[in-house]
Amino acid sequence: MTSIEITPGQLTLDQLRQIRAGGVRLSLHASADAAIRRSAAVVQAAAAGDAPVYGVNTGFGKLASTRISKEDLATLQFNLIRSHSVGVGAPLAPGVVRLMLATKAASLARGFSGVRPEVVQCLLDVFNAGLVPYVPSQGSVGASGDLAPLSHMTLALLGEGEMLVDGERRPARQVLEAAGLVPLVLQAKEGLALINGTQTSTALALEGLLRFETVYASAVVSGSLSLDAARGSDGPFDPRIHEVRGQPGQIEVAAAYRQVLAGSEIRQSHRDGDDRVQDPYCLRCQPQVMGACLDQARYCAEVLLREANAVTDNPLVFAPEGEPAYMVSGGNFHAEPVALAADALACAIAEVGAIAERRIAMLIDAGVSRLPPFLTANAGLNSGFMIAHVTAAALASENKSLAHPASVDSLPTSANQEDHVSMATFGARRLGPMLDNTAHIIGIELLAAAQGIEFLRPLKSSATLEQAHALLRRDCPPMPSDHFLAPSISAAKDQVDAGAFAGLLTQVTGLRVLR
């Protein structure tokens, strides 16, 4: 099993990718211990003192002016977790919860949160045991931290919540004991530090980003296959066009299209004497649209990587070695950076699906594609891809609604104390359904484009696209006449999600969506 040593503040995207996938063990770099202990000592001193300190000996939110007696400080933290575990809805996917555990441990280990080393180690132990706390997906507004989902995660660490085992909910205490782990016992501020942060929003957004990587690359392949099936021109991919604009994603993805299309017999057959002056935008403008989406995804990756390494709880403890220590209340729990990044990524996901849907519409339109109507030889008796396109249109339309920015909404909470919130958690969570929709659209495009290529036989496409065609046909048979098409759409979508076409693109072009 691969081991990842976490150096607080230095998690990489590749490490987060491995953490999401599971099958790794986490440890903490020894250099983190001193800072963790110094900040914990500050909190312990505050708990022993008489001065009011938010999160240590006061109530929370609107109740911050309520003082709590010393003998009730531990109970205060337990009650916080119990009362805030109010999530609803389906559980978060195991990969998302793994990211939550790891990024919360990394954040606390930076030594600004005032928790003991035992708290960080508990998070790592639960991760390393392969345990997945049961965390309902709904109930956070993305400010004051992802309180409800992180509370459910923490409640499982305390042995009072639930774990997800083989898809079933199990009492956390039983699962911890079976793994040889002892439930965590909280001390002053530790409950607040565990739930006051953006780790759920960030984990959901990272899940969306890492899935987009695969869907995006698959769309470059499907778009190339559609171009060749429609006997489109490779002229619009000329590097000079893209260099004079200067957009980096556009330049890079145009090069990838050229490499994927290189050597096509189909293209060579109509290079001279083609009476179509210009291709439709859905073919001709692929570098411009997909390049902009690539730049957007890379921007989102920068924001989310910073957030995965960030300290986002409150109040924060500053205890530099050899200097006076102090605690400061702030608002790093506000997930606005994640919300805006998730909204930007949602637009990119929607656009990748939208232009792919237009290519499917183009392929079934004999007047534009110059292929048989609806990609079937006996149109009328057969409907071909007529309604498969309708499905793609429905999914593209759904994505347009889902792409509405979540970050522009805000509802005051906690009796107006928390009066502006980010809605980052929903903004990130909705990326999953959007990616499902887009992966289905790309699957339908692959089926349609492959059918179009078969009408041009015996001519062959490029070596790369012939590999993609063969890969698709391994699970999805041709449709010379109408047959039950839904299983093929599902199988093609599964191939997209599994990275079959993304791997081919990377192998041929070296394109990495996220660097």
Side-chain angles (χ1 to χ4, degrees), residues 6-11 28 32 100-111 120 123-124 199 308-311:
I6 295 176
T7 300
Q10 296 182 32
L11 281 169
L28 188 63
M100 288 169 60
L101 289 165
T103 54
K104 175 55 77 174
S107 178
L108 297 181
R110 288 190 59 183
V120 179
L123 290 159
L124 298 179
Q199 284 76 32
N309 283 294
V311 180

Side-chain angles (χ1 to χ4, degrees), residues 205-289:
L206 283 167
E207 168 84 359
L209 179 72
L210 295 172
R211 283 192 62 196
F212 179 71
E213 186 175 32
T214 301
V215 171
Y216 178 93
S218 302
V220 174
V221 174
S222 66
S224 300
L225 199 63
S226 290
L227 180 87
D228 227 18
R231 285 165 285 183
S233 171
D234 55 2
F237 304 94
D238 187 308
R240 293 168 293 186
I241 294 172
H242 308 289
E243 285 167 6
V244 297
R245 191 175 201 180
Q247 295 289 354
Q250 179 178 327
I251 292 169
E252 191 170 345
V253 79
Y257 280 108
R258 291 195 301 273
Q259 290 172 282
V260 169
L261 291 160
S264 169
E265 290 180 5
I266 296 172
R267 173 59 183 137
Q268 195 58 42
S269 72
H270 64 91
R271 191 171 294 279
D272 299 319
D274 193 339
D275 59 356
R276 186 160 68 189
V277 177
Q278 289 188 328
D279 292 327
Y281 287 4
C282 65
L283 298 179
R284 186 178 8 140
C285 298
Q286 288 186 76
Q288 287 78 9
V289 174

Side-chain angles (χ1 to χ4, degrees), residues 104-129:
K104 175 55 77 174
S107 178
L108 297 181
R110 288 190 59 183
F112 296 102
S113 302
V115 305
R116 295 164 296 139
E118 292 89 336
V119 176
V120 179
Q121 191 58 49
C122 177
L123 290 159
L124 298 179
D125 288 344
V126 167
F127 182 98
N128 290 336

Side-chain angles (χ1 to χ4, degrees), residues 35-36 39 107-114 189 311 313 315-319:
I36 296 172
S39 72
S107 178
L108 297 181
R110 288 190 59 183
F112 296 102
S113 302
K189 192 186 178 292
V311 180
D313 59 294
L316 296 180
V317 180
F318 295 89

Side-chain angles (χ1 to χ4, degrees), residues 3-8 10-11 15 25-31:
S3 294
I4 296 176
E5 185 178 66
I6 295 176
T7 300
Q10 296 182 32
L11 281 169
Q15 288 175 331
R25 288 187 61 82
L26 303 180
S27 61
L28 188 63
H29 194 281
S31 62

